[in-house]
Amino acid sequence: MKTATPIISLLFLPMFTLAEPMAYTTGSGIEFIPQVKAFYEGDDNVNKEEENAKSNNTWGVEPSLLARIERNQYRANLMYKLKAGFSSDDNNDYDDHTFQFTNFFEFNHRNRLVVDYQFRAQHELRGENITEGNGDAVDSPIRFHRNDLKTNYIFGSEGAKGRFEFGINYSDKTYQNYRDGLTFAPNAKTKYNDFRAPSAHAEFYLRATPRTYWLIGSRQIQTDYQHSNPAMASRDNTAGFYYTGAQWEVTGKTQGIARLGYQIKDFDSNERETFKGFSWDIGFEWLPQEQTLITVKTTQAAVNPDQDGDYNLQTRYRIDFKHDWNSYLATELGFLYQEDDYTGELPGMASRDSERYSLSAGIDYQIKRWILLQANWQYQDKTSDRTGYSFQQNVWTLSTQFSL
């Protein structure tokens, strides 16, 4: 399991934006926004293999329905999405389901609450997570169910000298197949990665300037694995992140939030190594001109590995560029660099440190208000000091999205 810290909310929009899908509004004021996307995906290394790469083509459909409700000081969004893919080799077919229910409560100008629940019944990409380094060794994609509940209570009015935020959260993940052993490793059972993870956070913001807040906070998460692997020490652990930082918005062109601090990841078993070190979560947006948006995100944290190892000190840097040329044409460019430094490999296993570079590009063309054409390309280059874990991959996607 890899745990990611929340990203900043995105508020800036370029001057030119593609048309929003129309909504069907009922007599009671509820808005329904249906969409359907048909797509083709070409992958020149579907298993993420170091040698003998295998290509695969996937055709699919992605219908979704969003419902919006607004009643006085309460707002809610309900979303369901199905993504079904049919592969050329019949070994990579999938149907992914996502349901999300987000609630916004505004009790008065000082008290607000956000409650967000998401359920996912999805599959893992070959060569990632449990099948990393062995993407070709399973007959069909690994499937899982995941629940995520997030809450955030805000005490303090907009623009106040100070405000306090806190919340209680919960996540779990349960694998649906290969529970009694993978094809390439009968003793590597997916059920060993089932987990439950309650967590909590608290932050205090103090206004330093009219557009800048100093912040201090803490996050705590307890991860309990539901099935013990008799060949390994317990992976159950508690992680705490203690940090300070700032939130800012400057002249309507730049906004961001930075959290820098100290992380402690402690295991129930004395056989596993405790992590104590510097971690961060930084993100900001910049509008150099009205039709261009630049987003930067970087994190470092000790996360739970899906295979062997006590923890993975994961460092990520990502930058995305979006440019709206006019009201019907937009382009995007993205770059990602990621380091994974594993600690506590099994005896007899080679170390597993890796670097990953990813480059992506896309174009959106709205030929009609209700028809959006999209073309995307992604390239990945991963190098690892463990044999079989390095790969290069190109993925091309073409899609047409229809709405009201």
Side-chain angles (χ1 to χ4, degrees):
M1 180 197 70
K2 294 180 172 60
T3 304
T5 48
I7 195 169
I8 61 172
S9 60
L10 306 182
L11 298 180
F12 291 162
L13 291 174
M15 179 178 65
F16 300 114
T17 57
L18 303 184
E20 292 290 329
M22 283 187 62
Y24 171 78
T25 306
T26 66
S28 58
I30 300 176
E31 294 183 343
F32 290 96
I33 304 174
Q35 295 183 86
V36 63
K37 177 187 291 187
F39 66 88
Y40 161 78
E41 181 179 281
D43 190 332
D44 69 357
N45 190 0
V46 66
N47 297 321
K48 296 182 173 64
E49 295 180 280
E50 191 166 337
E51 299 178 351
N52 304 316
K54 176 185 176 183
S55 61
N56 185 69
N57 297 308
T58 302
W59 293 264
V61 62
E62 187 177 330
S64 64
L65 178 64
L66 172 65
R68 292 175 176 168
I69 304 170
E70 187 167 353
R71 294 287 186 273
N72 299 322
Q73 293 175 305
Y74 168 74
R75 292 182 294 116
N77 294 333
L78 290 90
M79 185 274 295
Y80 169 75
K81 180 171 68 175
L82 164 68
K83 185 176 182 180
F86 307 93
S87 64
S88 56
D89 62 3
D90 295 328
N91 294 325
N92 290 282
D93 296 352
Y94 63 87
D95 57 291
D96 291 348
H97 304 261
T98 303
F99 171 77
Q100 188 165 5
F101 185 25
T102 307
N103 301 265
F104 305 88
F105 302 88
E106 187 172 355
F107 306 108
N108 53 51
H109 69 286
R110 287 194 182 93
N111 294 272
R112 287 152 287 160
L113 172 66
V114 180
V115 180
D116 179 70
Y117 169 73
Q118 184 183 75
F119 169 76
R120 288 180 286 161
Q122 297 182 352
H123 76 289
E124 289 186 347
L125 297 175
R126 287 180 180 265
E128 301 284 359
N129 305 105
I130 291 179
T131 61
E132 185 178 3
N134 294 281
D136 62 337
V138 290
D139 300 325
S140 60
I142 291 178
R143 295 180 287 108
F144 65 88
H145 290 174
R146 176 161 182 154
N147 294 280
D148 290 284
L149 176 65
K150 300 177 182 179
T151 68
N152 191 48
Y153 193 96
I154 304 169
F155 178 73
S157 59
E158 294 284 350
K161 181 69 174 178
R163 75 176 188 272
F164 180 62
E165 300 186 12
F166 64 92
I168 298 174
N169 315 297
Y170 173 81
S171 296
D172 67 47
K173 189 174 186 179
T174 305
Y175 285 89
Q176 302 300 301
N177 55 349
Y178 300 104
R179 296 186 61 78
D180 294 320
L182 300 175
T183 306
F184 65 90
N187 293 324
K189 304 176 181 181
T190 60
K191 68 179 182 180
Y192 293 151
N193 280 33
D194 293 352
F195 69 85
R196 307 288 183 269
S199 62
H201 68 272
E203 293 182 322
F204 177 71
Y205 293 77
L206 181 66
R207 191 175 64 199
T209 71
R211 293 183 177 270
T212 304
Y213 282 84
W214 167 75
L215 67 88
I216 186 171
S218 174
R219 295 175 182 157
Q220 306 291 322
I221 180 170
Q222 178 179 322
T223 304
D224 297 316
Y225 289 89
Q226 300 304 290
H227 302 277
S228 298
N229 186 341
M232 301 174 64
S234 171
R235 300 164 65 191
D236 295 350
N237 64 85
T238 302
F241 181 35
Y242 309 90
Y243 54 87
T244 186
Q247 181 184 48
W248 67 91
E249 181 178 348
V250 181
T251 66
K253 287 186 174 290
T254 303
Q255 69 167 9
I257 189 166
R259 301 178 177 93
L260 303 95
Y262 193 70
Q263 183 187 10
I264 301 175
K265 191 177 186 67
D266 190 28
F267 293 87
D268 291 356
S269 172
N270 294 328
E271 298 180 35
R272 294 194 178 272
E273 182 177 334
T274 298
F275 171 80
K276 296 180 180 180
F278 183 54
S279 293
W280 68 77
D281 177 7
I282 303 170
F284 68 88
E285 294 177 331
W286 176 40
L287 275 174
Q289 50 186 348
E290 291 184 333
Q291 65 269 32
T292 303
L293 175 64
I294 299 175
T295 305
V296 177
K297 178 71 175 176
T298 175
T299 60
Q300 177 172 283
V303 300
N304 299 317
D306 291 293
Q307 296 184 1
D308 57 283
D310 297 340
Y311 61 83
N312 169 19
L313 182 58
Q314 185 177 89
T315 307
R316 291 169 58 92
Y317 302 91
R318 183 175 183 91
I319 183 168
D320 292 285
F321 303 86
K322 185 177 187 297
H323 185 80
D324 288 345
W325 299 91
N326 47 48
S327 61
Y328 54 85
L329 180 65
T331 53
E332 297 178 4
L333 184 66
F335 175 77
L336 168 70
Y337 172 72
Q338 177 176 315
E339 289 184 359
D340 293 284
D341 185 2
Y342 293 85
T343 298
E345 287 82 12
L346 291 174
M349 297 289 289
S351 63
R352 186 158 63 99
D353 298 337
S354 64
E355 292 184 330
R356 184 190 304 240
Y357 299 87
S358 177
L359 181 65
S360 61
I363 182 170
D364 296 348
Y365 181 64
Q366 195 142 26
I367 59 174
K368 298 286 186 180
R369 184 200 51 75
W370 49 279
I371 301 178
L372 175 64
L373 303 181
Q374 296 176 302
N376 295 277
W377 165 75
Q378 182 186 48
Y379 170 74
Q380 291 192 82
D381 186 342
K382 177 184 173 184
T383 58
S384 174
D385 49 14
R386 180 179 292 185
T387 302
Y389 282 69
S390 301
F391 69 88
Q392 293 181 340
Q393 181 192 47
N394 289 278
V395 178
W396 301 268
T397 305
L398 299 174
S399 65
T400 304
Q401 180 173 288
F402 302 91
S403 63
L404 294 179

